[in-house]
Coordinates of all heavy atoms in Angstrom, one line a residue:
Y22 N 8.6 -4.1 10.8 CA 9.2 -3.3 9.7 C 9.9 -4.2 8.8 O 10.5 -5.2 9.2 CB 10.0 -2.2 10.4 CG 9.2 -1.3 11.3 CD1 8.9 -1.6 12.5 CD2 8.6 -0.1 10.7 CE1 8.1 -0.7 13.3 CE2 7.8 0.7 11.4 CZ 7.6 0.4 12.7 OH 6.7 1.2 13.5
E23 N 9.9 -3.8 7.6 CA 10.5 -4.5 6.5 C 12.0 -4.3 6.3 O 12.5 -3.1 6.7 CB 9.7 -4.2 5.2 CG 8.3 -4.6 5.3 CD 8.0 -6.1 5.5 OE1 8.8 -7.0 5.1 OE2 6.9 -6.3 6.1
P24 N 12.7 -5.1 5.5 CA 14.0 -4.8 5.2 C 14.1 -3.5 4.3 O 13.2 -3.3 3.6 CB 14.5 -6.1 4.4 CG 13.5 -7.2 4.7 CD 12.2 -6.4 5.1
I25 N 15.3 -3.0 4.3 CA 15.4 -1.6 3.6 C 15.1 -1.8 2.2 O 14.6 -0.9 1.6 CB 16.8 -1.1 3.8 CG1 16.9 0.3 3.3 CG2 18.0 -1.9 3.1 CD1 16.1 1.3 4.1
D26 N 15.3 -2.9 1.5 CA 15.1 -3.0 0.1 C 13.6 -3.0 -0.2 O 13.1 -2.6 -1.3 CB 15.7 -4.2 -0.6 CG 15.2 -5.5 -0.2 OD1 14.7 -5.6 1.0 OD2 15.1 -6.5 -0.9
F27 N 12.7 -3.3 0.8 CA 11.3 -3.2 0.6 C 10.9 -1.8 0.3 O 10.0 -1.5 -0.4 CB 10.6 -3.6 1.9 CG 9.1 -3.5 1.9 CD1 8.3 -4.4 1.3 CD2 8.6 -2.3 2.5 CE1 6.9 -4.3 1.3 CE2 7.2 -2.1 2.5 CZ 6.4 -3.2 1.9
Y28 N 11.5 -0.8 1.0 CA 11.2 0.6 0.8 C 11.7 1.3 -0.4 O 11.5 2.4 -0.8 CB 11.6 1.4 2.0 CG 11.0 0.9 3.3 CD1 11.6 0.0 4.2 CD2 9.6 1.2 3.6 CE1 11.0 -0.6 5.3 CE2 9.0 0.6 4.8 CZ 9.6 -0.1 5.6 OH 9.0 -0.6 6.7
E29 N 12.6 0.6 -1.2 CA 13.2 1.0 -2.3 C 12.4 0.7 -3.6 O 13.0 0.8 -4.7 CB 14.7 0.6 -2.4 CG 15.5 1.1 -1.3 CD 16.9 0.5 -1.2 OE1 17.1 -0.5 -1.9 OE2 17.7 1.0 -0.4
K30 N 11.3 0.2 -3.4 CA 10.4 -0.3 -4.5 C 9.3 0.7 -5.0 O 8.3 0.3 -5.5 CB 9.8 -1.6 -4.3 CG 10.8 -2.7 -4.0 CD 10.2 -4.0 -3.6 CE 11.2 -5.1 -3.4 NZ 10.7 -6.4 -3.1
N31 N 9.6 2.0 -4.8 CA 8.7 3.0 -5.2 C 7.3 2.8 -4.5 O 6.3 2.9 -5.2 CB 8.6 3.2 -6.7 CG 9.9 3.8 -7.3 OD1 10.5 4.6 -6.7 ND2 10.2 3.1 -8.4
I32 N 7.3 2.5 -3.3 CA 6.0 2.3 -2.5 C 5.9 3.5 -1.7 O 6.8 3.9 -0.9 CB 6.1 1.1 -1.7 CG1 6.2 -0.3 -2.5 CG2 4.8 1.0 -0.7 CD1 6.4 -1.5 -1.8
Y33 N 4.7 4.3 -1.8 CA 4.4 5.4 -1.1 C 3.2 5.2 -0.2 O 2.3 4.6 -0.6 CB 4.2 6.6 -2.0 CG 5.5 6.9 -2.9 CD1 5.4 6.3 -4.2 CD2 6.5 7.6 -2.5 CE1 6.6 6.5 -5.0 CE2 7.6 7.7 -3.3 CZ 7.6 7.2 -4.6 OH 8.7 7.5 -5.4
M34 N 3.2 5.8 1.0 CA 2.1 5.8 1.8 C 1.6 7.2 2.2 O 2.4 8.1 2.4 CB 2.4 5.1 3.2 CG 1.3 4.9 4.1 SD 1.6 4.3 5.8 CE 2.1 5.7 6.5
Y35 N 0.3 7.4 1.9 CA -0.2 8.6 2.3 C -1.2 8.5 3.5 O -2.3 7.9 3.3 CB -1.0 9.3 1.0 CG -0.1 9.5 -0.1 CD1 0.2 8.5 -1.0 CD2 0.5 10.7 -0.3 CE1 1.0 8.7 -2.1 CE2 1.3 11.0 -1.4 CZ 1.5 10.0 -2.3 OH 2.3 10.2 -3.4
S36 N -0.8 8.8 4.7 CA -1.7 8.7 5.8 C -2.5 10.0 6.0 O -2.0 11.1 5.6 CB -1.0 8.3 7.0 OG 0.0 9.3 7.4
S37 N -3.7 9.9 6.7 CA -4.5 11.1 6.9 C -4.8 11.8 5.5 O -4.9 13.0 5.6 CB -3.8 12.0 7.9 OG -3.5 11.3 9.1
T38 N -5.0 11.1 4.5 CA -5.3 11.7 3.2 C -6.6 11.1 2.7 O -6.7 9.8 2.8 CB -4.2 11.4 2.2 OG1 -3.0 11.9 2.7 CG2 -4.5 12.1 0.9
R39 N -7.5 11.9 2.3 CA -8.8 11.4 1.8 C -8.8 11.3 0.3 O -8.4 12.3 -0.4 CB -9.9 12.2 2.3 CG -10.2 12.1 3.7 CD -11.4 12.9 4.2 NE -11.6 12.8 5.6 CZ -12.4 11.9 6.1 NH1 -13.0 10.8 5.4 NH2 -12.6 11.9 7.5
V40 N -9.2 10.1 -0.2 CA -9.3 10.0 -1.7 C -10.7 10.4 -2.0 O -11.7 9.9 -1.5 CB -9.1 8.5 -2.1 CG1 -9.3 8.3 -3.6 CG2 -7.7 8.1 -1.8
Q41 N -10.9 11.4 -2.9 CA -12.2 11.8 -3.5 C -12.7 11.0 -4.6 O -13.9 10.8 -4.7 CB -12.1 13.3 -4.0 CG -11.9 14.3 -2.8 CD -13.0 14.5 -1.9 OE1 -13.0 14.1 -0.8 NE2 -14.1 14.9 -2.4
D42 N -11.8 10.5 -5.4 CA -12.2 9.8 -6.6 C -11.1 8.8 -7.0 O -9.9 9.2 -6.9 CB -12.5 10.7 -7.8 CG -13.2 10.0 -8.9 OD1 -13.8 9.0 -8.7 OD2 -13.2 10.6 -10.0
L43 N -11.4 7.6 -7.4 CA -10.5 6.6 -7.9 C -11.0 6.3 -9.3 O -12.1 5.9 -9.6 CB -10.6 5.3 -7.1 CG -9.8 4.1 -7.5 CD1 -8.4 4.4 -7.6 CD2 -10.1 2.9 -6.6
E44 N -10.0 6.5 -10.3 CA -10.3 6.2 -11.7 C -9.4 5.0 -12.1 O -8.3 5.3 -12.6 CB -10.0 7.5 -12.6 CG -11.0 8.6 -12.2 CD -10.7 9.8 -13.2 OE1 -10.3 9.6 -14.3 OE2 -11.1 10.9 -12.7
P45 N -9.8 3.8 -11.9 CA -9.0 2.6 -12.2 C -8.6 2.5 -13.7 O -7.5 2.1 -14.0 CB -9.8 1.5 -11.7 CG -11.2 1.9 -11.6 CD -11.1 3.4 -11.4
N46 N -9.5 2.9 -14.5 CA -9.2 2.9 -16.0 C -8.1 3.8 -16.4 O -7.3 3.4 -17.4 CB -10.4 3.1 -16.9 CG -11.4 2.0 -16.8 OD1 -11.1 0.9 -16.5 ND2 -12.7 2.4 -17.0
R47 N -8.0 4.9 -15.7 CA -6.9 5.9 -16.0 C -5.8 5.8 -15.1 O -4.7 6.5 -15.2 CB -7.5 7.4 -16.0 CG -8.5 7.5 -17.2 CD -9.2 8.9 -17.0 NE -8.3 9.9 -17.2 CZ -8.5 11.3 -16.8 NH1 -9.6 11.5 -16.3 NH2 -7.5 12.1 -16.9
K48 N -5.9 5.0 -14.0 CA -4.9 4.8 -12.9 C -4.6 6.0 -12.3 O -3.5 6.5 -12.2 CB -3.6 4.1 -13.5 CG -4.0 2.6 -13.9 CD -2.7 1.9 -14.1 CE -3.1 0.4 -14.4 NZ -1.9 -0.4 -14.4
L49 N -5.7 6.8 -11.9 CA -5.6 8.0 -11.2 C -6.3 8.1 -9.8 O -7.4 7.6 -9.7 CB -6.1 9.2 -12.1 CG -5.3 9.5 -13.3 CD1 -6.1 10.6 -14.1 CD2 -3.9 9.9 -13.1
L50 N -5.7 8.8 -8.9 CA -6.4 9.0 -7.6 C -6.6 10.5 -7.5 O -5.6 11.3 -7.7 CB -5.6 8.5 -6.4 CG -5.4 7.1 -6.2 CD1 -4.4 6.9 -5.0 CD2 -6.8 6.5 -5.8
K51 N -7.7 11.0 -7.1 CA -7.9 12.3 -6.9 C -8.1 12.6 -5.4 O -9.1 12.0 -4.8 CB -9.2 12.8 -7.7 CG -9.0 12.9 -9.2 CD -10.1 13.4 -9.9 CE -9.8 13.3 -11.5 NZ -11.0 13.9 -12.2
L52 N -7.3 13.4 -4.8 CA -7.3 13.6 -3.3 C -8.2 14.8 -2.9 O -8.4 15.7 -3.8 CB -5.9 13.8 -2.8 CG -4.9 12.7 -3.2 CD1 -3.5 12.9 -2.6 CD2 -5.5 11.3 -2.7
S53 N -8.6 14.9 -1.7 CA -9.4 15.9 -1.2 C -8.8 17.3 -1.3 O -9.5 18.4 -1.3 CB -9.9 15.7 0.2 OG -8.8 15.5 1.1
D54 N -7.5 17.4 -1.3 CA -6.8 18.7 -1.5 C -6.7 19.2 -2.9 O -6.1 20.2 -3.2 CB -5.4 18.7 -0.8 CG -4.5 17.7 -1.5 OD1 -4.8 17.2 -2.6 OD2 -3.3 17.6 -1.0
G55 N -7.2 18.4 -3.8 CA -7.3 18.7 -5.3 C -6.2 18.0 -6.0 O -6.1 18.2 -7.2
S56 N -5.2 17.5 -5.3 CA -4.1 17.0 -6.1 C -4.5 15.6 -6.8 O -5.4 15.0 -6.3 CB -2.8 16.7 -5.3 OG -3.2 15.8 -4.2
V57 N -3.7 15.2 -7.8 CA -4.0 14.0 -8.6 C -2.7 13.2 -8.6 O -1.7 13.8 -8.8 CB -4.5 14.3 -10.0 CG1 -4.7 13.0 -10.8 CG2 -5.7 15.1 -10.0
I58 N -2.9 11.9 -8.3 CA -1.8 11.0 -8.3 C -1.9 9.9 -9.2 O -3.0 9.3 -9.3 CB -1.6 10.3 -6.8 CG1 -1.3 11.5 -5.8 CG2 -0.4 9.3 -6.9 CD1 -1.3 10.9 -4.4
A59 N -1.0 9.7 -10.1 CA -1.0 8.7 -11.1 C -0.3 7.5 -10.4 O 0.6 7.6 -9.6 CB -0.2 8.9 -12.3
Y60 N -0.8 6.2 -10.7 CA -0.2 5.0 -10.0 C -0.1 3.9 -11.1 O -0.8 3.8 -12.1 CB -1.0 4.6 -8.9 CG -2.5 4.2 -9.2 CD1 -2.8 2.8 -9.5 CD2 -3.6 5.0 -9.1 CE1 -3.9 2.4 -9.9 CE2 -4.8 4.6 -9.5 CZ -5.1 3.3 -9.9 OH -6.3 2.9 -10.2
G61 N 0.8 3.0 -10.8 CA 0.9 1.7 -11.6 C 0.0 0.6 -10.9 O -0.7 0.0 -11.6
K62 N 0.2 0.5 -9.6 CA -0.7 -0.4 -8.8 C -1.1 0.4 -7.6 O -0.4 1.2 -7.0 CB 0.1 -1.6 -8.4 CG 0.5 -2.5 -9.6 CD 1.3 -3.7 -9.0 CE 1.6 -4.5 -10.3 NZ 2.4 -5.8 -9.9
C63 N -2.2 0.1 -7.1 CA -2.8 0.8 -5.9 C -3.4 -0.2 -4.9 O -4.1 -1.1 -5.2 CB -3.9 1.7 -6.5 SG -4.7 2.6 -5.1
L64 N -3.1 0.1 -3.6 CA -3.5 -0.7 -2.5 C -4.3 0.3 -1.6 O -3.8 1.3 -1.2 CB -2.4 -1.3 -1.7 CG -2.8 -1.9 -0.4 CD1 -3.7 -3.1 -0.6 CD2 -1.6 -2.2 0.6
L65 N -5.6 0.0 -1.4 CA -6.4 0.8 -0.5 C -6.5 0.1 0.8 O -7.0 -1.0 0.8 CB -7.8 1.1 -1.1 CG -7.9 1.9 -2.3 CD1 -9.4 2.0 -2.8 CD2 -7.3 3.3 -2.2
A66 N -5.9 0.6 1.8 CA -5.8 -0.1 3.1 C -6.8 0.8 4.1 O -6.5 1.9 4.4 CB -4.4 0.0 3.8
T67 N -7.9 0.2 4.4 CA -8.9 0.8 5.2 C -8.8 0.6 6.7 O -9.6 1.1 7.5 CB -10.3 0.5 4.7 OG1 -10.4 -0.9 4.8 CG2 -10.5 0.9 3.3
G68 N -7.8 -0.3 7.1 CA -7.6 -0.6 8.5 C -8.1 -1.9 8.8 O -9.3 -2.3 8.5
S69 N -7.4 -2.7 9.5 CA -7.8 -4.0 10.0 C -6.5 -4.7 10.7 O -5.5 -4.1 10.8 CB -8.2 -4.9 8.8 OG -8.5 -6.1 9.2
S70 N -6.8 -5.8 11.1 CA -5.7 -6.6 11.7 C -5.2 -7.6 10.6 O -6.0 -8.2 9.9 CB -6.1 -7.5 13.0 OG -6.5 -6.6 13.9
P71 N -3.9 -7.7 10.4 CA -3.4 -8.5 9.4 C -3.6 -10.1 9.7 O -3.5 -10.5 10.8 CB -1.9 -8.2 9.3 CG -1.5 -7.8 10.7 CD -2.8 -7.0 11.2
N72 N -3.9 -10.7 8.6 CA -4.1 -12.2 8.7 C -3.0 -12.7 7.9 O -2.7 -12.4 6.7 CB -5.4 -12.7 8.3 CG -6.5 -12.2 9.1 OD1 -6.4 -12.4 10.4 ND2 -7.6 -11.7 8.6
Q73 N -2.4 -13.9 8.3 CA -1.3 -14.6 7.5 C -2.1 -15.4 6.5 O -3.1 -16.1 6.8 CB -0.5 -15.5 8.3 CG 0.4 -14.6 9.2 CD 1.5 -13.8 8.5 OE1 1.9 -14.2 7.5 NE2 1.8 -12.7 9.1
L74 N -1.7 -15.4 5.2 CA -2.4 -16.3 4.2 C -2.0 -17.7 4.5 O -0.8 -18.1 4.7 CB -1.9 -15.8 2.8 CG -2.3 -14.4 2.3 CD1 -1.7 -14.1 1.0 CD2 -3.8 -14.4 2.2
D75 N -2.9 -18.6 4.3 CA -2.7 -20.0 4.4 C -2.5 -20.5 3.0 O -3.3 -21.1 2.3 CB -3.9 -20.8 5.0 CG -3.6 -22.1 5.2 OD1 -2.5 -22.6 5.3 OD2 -4.6 -23.0 5.4
V76 N -1.2 -20.2 2.4 CA -0.9 -20.6 1.1 C 0.5 -21.2 1.1 O 1.3 -21.0 2.1 CB -0.8 -19.4 0.1 CG1 -2.2 -18.8 0.0 CG2 0.2 -18.3 0.6
P77 N 0.9 -22.1 0.1 CA 2.2 -22.5 0.0 C 3.2 -21.5 -0.1 O 3.0 -20.5 -0.7 CB 2.2 -23.5 -1.2 CG 0.8 -23.7 -1.5 CD 0.1 -22.5 -1.0
H78 N 4.3 -21.5 0.6 CA 5.5 -20.7 0.5 C 5.0 -19.2 0.9 O 5.2 -18.3 0.2 CB 6.1 -20.6 -0.9 CG 6.5 -21.9 -1.3 ND1 7.4 -22.8 -0.8 CD2 5.9 -22.8 -2.3 CE1 7.4 -23.9 -1.4 NE2 6.5 -23.9 -2.4
P79 N 4.5 -18.9 2.2 CA 4.0 -17.6 2.5 C 5.2 -16.7 2.6 O 5.1 -15.5 2.7 CB 3.4 -17.9 3.9 CG 4.0 -19.1 4.4 CD 4.2 -20.0 3.2
E80 N 6.5 -17.2 2.7 CA 7.7 -16.3 2.7 C 8.1 -15.7 1.4 O 9.1 -15.1 1.3 CB 8.9 -17.2 3.4 CG 9.4 -18.2 2.5 CD 8.6 -19.6 2.4 OE1 7.6 -19.6 3.2 OE2 9.0 -20.3 1.6
S81 N 7.3 -16.1 0.4 CA 7.6 -15.7 -0.9 C 7.9 -14.1 -1.0 O 7.2 -13.4 -0.3 CB 6.6 -16.0 -2.0 OG 6.7 -15.4 -3.2
E82 N 8.8 -13.7 -1.9 CA 8.9 -12.2 -2.0 C 7.7 -11.5 -2.6 O 7.7 -10.2 -2.6 CB 10.2 -12.0 -2.9 CG 9.9 -12.4 -4.4 CD 11.2 -12.1 -5.2 OE1 12.2 -12.8 -4.9 OE2 11.1 -11.4 -6.2
H83 N 6.8 -12.3 -3.2 CA 5.6 -11.6 -3.7 C 4.4 -11.6 -2.7 O 3.3 -11.2 -3.1 CB 5.1 -12.5 -5.0 CG 6.2 -12.6 -6.0 ND1 6.6 -11.6 -6.8 CD2 7.0 -13.6 -6.3 CE1 7.5 -12.0 -7.6 NE2 7.8 -13.2 -7.3
I84 N 4.7 -12.0 -1.5 CA 3.6 -11.9 -0.5 C 4.0 -11.1 0.6 O 5.2 -11.2 1.3 CB 3.2 -13.4 0.1 CG1 2.7 -14.2 -1.1 CG2 2.2 -13.2 1.2 CD1 2.4 -15.6 -0.6
T85 N 3.3 -10.0 1.0 CA 3.7 -9.1 2.0 C 2.5 -8.9 2.9 O 1.4 -8.6 2.4 CB 4.1 -7.7 1.5 OG1 5.2 -7.8 0.7 CG2 4.5 -6.7 2.5
T86 N 2.7 -9.0 4.3 CA 1.6 -8.7 5.2 C 2.0 -7.3 5.8 O 3.0 -7.0 6.3 CB 1.7 -9.7 6.4 OG1 1.6 -11.0 5.8 CG2 0.6 -9.4 7.4
F87 N 1.0 -6.4 5.6 CA 1.1 -5.0 6.0 C 0.7 -5.0 7.5 O -0.3 -5.6 7.9 CB 0.2 -4.1 5.2 CG 0.8 -4.0 3.8 CD1 0.4 -4.7 2.7 CD2 1.8 -3.0 3.5 CE1 0.9 -4.6 1.5 CE2 2.3 -2.8 2.3 CZ 1.9 -3.6 1.2
R88 N 1.4 -4.2 8.2 CA 1.1 -3.9 9.6 C 1.0 -2.5 9.8 O 1.2 -1.6 9.0 CB 2.2 -4.6 10.5 CG 2.3 -6.0 10.3 CD 3.6 -6.5 11.0 NE 4.8 -6.1 10.4 CZ 5.4 -6.5 9.3 NH1 4.8 -7.5 8.6 NH2 6.5 -6.0 8.8
T89 N 0.8 -2.1 11.1 CA 0.8 -0.6 11.4 C 2.1 -0.1 11.1 O 3.2 -0.7 11.3 CB 0.4 -0.4 12.8 OG1 1.3 -1.0 13.7 CG2 -1.1 -0.8 13.2
V90 N 2.2 1.3 10.8 CA 3.5 1.9 10.5 C 4.2 2.2 11.9 O 5.4 2.2 11.9 CB 3.2 3.2 9.7 CG1 4.6 4.0 9.5 CG2 2.6 2.8 8.4
C91 N 3.4 2.6 12.9 CA 4.0 3.0 14.1 C 3.5 2.1 15.2 O 2.3 1.8 15.2 CB 3.6 4.5 14.4 SG 4.1 5.1 15.9
P92 N 4.3 1.6 16.1 CA 3.8 0.7 17.2 C 2.7 1.3 18.1 O 2.0 0.7 18.7 CB 5.0 0.5 18.1 CG 6.2 0.8 17.2 CD 5.7 1.8 16.2
Q93 N 2.7 2.7 18.1 CA 1.6 3.3 18.9 C 0.3 3.4 18.3 O -0.7 3.7 19.0 CB 2.0 4.7 19.3 CG 3.2 4.8 20.2 CD 4.6 4.6 19.5 OE1 4.6 4.8 18.3 NE2 5.6 4.3 20.2
V94 N 0.2 3.1 17.1 CA -1.1 3.1 16.3 C -1.9 1.9 16.7 O -1.5 0.8 16.7 CB -0.9 3.2 14.8 CG1 -2.2 3.3 14.1 CG2 -0.2 4.6 14.5

């Protein structure tokens, strides 16, 4: 889990939600329940095991490795 300031950066997670349509030019997501979400930046996480990047300064504030939200998942 990340430090508290990580969660104060307007990052939202929608689990168990299906995206029906992605409109990158308009920066919109259309969800299966009919709702529409506007976004500035979008990360589609389809599931995987995280890999650490082999780059200089991997501890940079601009690099984040995403993990599962819950240890039981």
Side-chain angles (χ1 to χ4, degrees):
Y22 297 85
E23 300 296 332
I25 192 67
D26 67 329
F27 174 85
Y28 299 99
E29 296 171 350
K30 296 181 180 179
N31 292 323
I32 298 172
Y33 302 96
M34 184 185 81
Y35 297 86
S36 62
S37 303
T38 302
R39 293 189 180 266
V40 175
Q41 292 292 111
D42 192 20
L43 172 63
E44 296 185 27
N46 292 333
R47 296 175 60 200
K48 293 191 173 187
L49 294 176
L50 290 173
K51 294 183 181 179
L52 305 182
S53 58
D54 66 1
S56 60
V57 177
I58 298 173
Y60 64 88
K62 293 181 182 179
C63 178
L64 168 72
L65 297 177
T67 60
S69 182
S70 296
N72 293 315
Q73 295 294 327
L74 294 175
D75 185 20
V76 297
H78 311 291
E80 71 282 354
S81 167
E82 68 181 62
H83 301 290
I84 298 175
T85 301
T86 300
F87 289 93
R88 297 171 296 280
T89 59
V90 175
C91 177
Q93 292 80 17
V94 174

